[in-house]
Amino acid sequence: MHRLISMARRFCPPFPLVALAWVLLFGGSSGAEAGGPEQWQAEIAKLVVDDAAHPPPRDAALFVGSSSIRLWTTLAKDFPGVPTINRGFGGSAIADTTFYADRIVVPYRPKLIVMYAGDNDIAEGRTSQQVLDDFKAFVARVRRDLPGVAIAYLSIKPSVARGALWPRMLAANEDIARWAGTQQGVIFVDVATKMLDAMGRPRPDLLREDGLHMRPAGYAIWIDALRPVLVSHGFAVSVPVRSVTPAAGRR
């Protein structure tokens, strides 16, 4: 975490034209600023219908949060032998998952919850303290019905498209990491450090053309960071067979 802080404080990246075009066309926060949790009702309803048709496993690792989770389509393959549930939706914020916890968290009674959210929160204008408070509220809501469940928070990732927001994202990561260290069963998972280059800038090779969402190489970093967390919570994790093309100049 200290390396992440020292590197990131020097980070002031250029804004590539392709990322700028994406923001101008589609906005910089994946549509999360369009409204409150109600904007995701149709998406949540579809997930609930799918649950009825295909009941998800119990005692699973439940992945929740925004589009970086929703787009993680290889989740089951990336953690072979681990029962997983993917309930990422939209370009959601932390409070959106809290709002729908009674529908897409509590019913599954997971052994572990992995959350990635906060990225869109900062893009919507929330402060690092507000992001921490929202995460605390999520933990409190879950613990009301699932007092023993472990919750792992994946740090907000650096990205080219949101480079100007990185100082606030970093501050949120620091705040959540400190608070998690005082809690039983709350784990902060740093995925941001390895997503920065030697100059403290986001690695474009990990990101799609929009400069925001991840390629398989980005998810490979998340997999490696999460594997020991899953093992420590009783999951038998096999090493997946994958082939990731290395970045130019990297070995």
Side-chain angles (χ1 to χ4, degrees), residues 44 60 72 109 124 132 136 153 177 180 185 203-204 211 216 218 245 250:
I44 297 300
W72 198 345
R109 308 196 70 82
E124 291 175 36
L132 172 61
K136 288 180 177 180
Y153 181 87
R203 292 171 50 186
T245 303
R250 292 182 180 272

Side-chain angles (χ1 to χ4, degrees), residues 6-74:
S6 62
M7 293 170 64
R9 293 212 187 282
R10 295 183 282 116
F11 165 44
C12 185
F15 204 90
L17 291 178
V18 65
L20 176 60
W22 181 273
V23 171
L24 291 175
L25 287 171
F26 301 107
S29 59
S30 302
E33 74 283 0
E38 292 80 6
Q39 69 183 301
W40 310 119
Q41 284 181 353
E43 195 167 344
I44 297 300
K46 183 178 185 303
L47 291 174
V48 172
V49 169
D50 289 345
D51 285 343
H54 309 283
R58 292 294 180 121
D59 298 319
L62 170 64
F63 288 71
V64 297
S66 60
S67 55
S68 291
I69 296 294
R70 174 174 56 83
L71 295 171
W72 198 345
T73 56
T74 60

